[in-house]
Amino acid sequence: MFENLRLKNKVLIILLVSLSVVVVLGGNNTRLFLNQHNDAKETKNSIQLMKATSHFVHHLQRERGRSSMFVSGGTSQEDLQKFREETDQHLQVWLKVLTQSSLANKDLVANEVEELKSIRESVDRKDPAISIVDKYTAHIERTLALDANLVQNTTHADLVRMFGTILLL
């Protein structure tokens, strides 16, 4: 088949085949690079979510303690309000980071915000302290579970892809 071709055509075929291999391998490497880039972005988002959740939960815990003190008469409404404002600042940061997550359930987020309002209303009514502490604790547990679920789902997929990439190399 190649015997009848001129030398110029034979060289051209060899060059085209070589160029095709280079293009295919380059495209594959570009795809791998883009996947790694996306994995790194998701990991960064997971870290930001963990950090925001940590700060938010810390302030929820502080508010829980101050609310217990308020209900038992150990502090004023103004003092409690300062803690609530700090918690609300961290809540807004947490919600912003959370809504950027591709796995975030918007209804669940709205329910968490409504639950915090409900807990605060219980505090303002001066319901029993043990009931308030239990409500705050349950709220904190749900917040941590939501964070853990989102981070675990994202990180697991990232690790599987990264491990696959390492094996290919």
Side-chain angles (χ1 to χ4, degrees):
M1 174 178 166
F2 289 113
E3 297 97 24
N4 297 337
L5 292 176
R6 297 172 57 185
L7 180 62
K8 179 173 102 175
N9 291 340
K10 289 178 184 178
V11 170
L12 184 62
I13 290 173
I14 292 172
L15 286 174
L16 286 176
V17 169
S18 300
L19 184 61
S20 298
V21 169
V22 168
V23 168
V24 168
L25 290 177
N28 190 39
N29 285 338
T30 302
R31 181 184 56 81
L32 289 173
F33 174 76
L34 290 175
N35 285 344
Q36 287 177 339
H37 177 72
N38 290 336
D39 292 345
K41 277 177 53 177
E42 283 295 322
T43 301
K44 177 186 169 194
N45 291 341
S46 294
I47 291 169
Q48 288 175 334
L49 179 59
M50 287 186 288
K51 182 179 174 184
T53 301
S54 175
H55 289 296
F56 175 53
V57 165
H58 171 72
H59 284 277
L60 273 175
Q61 290 169 332
R62 292 182 63 200
E63 182 179 324
R64 174 181 60 187
R66 193 56 61 153
S67 296
S68 178
M69 288 176 62
F70 171 73
V71 169
S72 62
T75 191
S76 66
Q77 178 77 31
E78 294 80 24
D79 186 43
L80 175 60
Q81 190 58 36
K82 290 176 192 174
F83 279 80
R84 286 180 176 179
E85 288 170 1
E86 289 177 12
T87 301
D88 287 343
Q89 289 173 357
H90 289 281
L91 171 64
Q92 293 308 314
V93 171
W94 181 69
L95 291 174
K96 181 181 176 187
V97 173
L98 187 62
T99 54
Q100 292 172 354
S101 172
S102 59
L103 299 172
N105 182 332
K106 309 306 184 230
D107 294 332
L108 185 59
V109 171
N111 288 342
E112 288 294 304
V113 172
E114 289 302 315
E115 180 65 22
L116 183 57
K117 288 179 185 177
S118 172
I119 293 169
R120 288 177 173 175
E121 289 170 0
S122 296
V123 172
D124 293 339
R125 285 192 310 265
K126 292 197 174 190
D127 287 356
I130 190 70
S131 168
I132 290 169
V133 169
D134 287 346
K135 288 178 184 180
Y136 269 110
T137 301
H139 185 72
I140 290 167
E141 287 173 354
R142 279 192 303 279
T143 302
L144 290 172
L146 173 64
D147 175 67
N149 186 35
L150 292 175
V151 170
Q152 181 183 18
N153 286 340
T154 302
T155 305
H156 178 68
D158 294 345
L159 290 175
V160 167
R161 277 192 231 114
M162 289 173 140
F163 185 67
T165 302
I166 291 169
L167 287 178
L168 288 174
L169 297 176

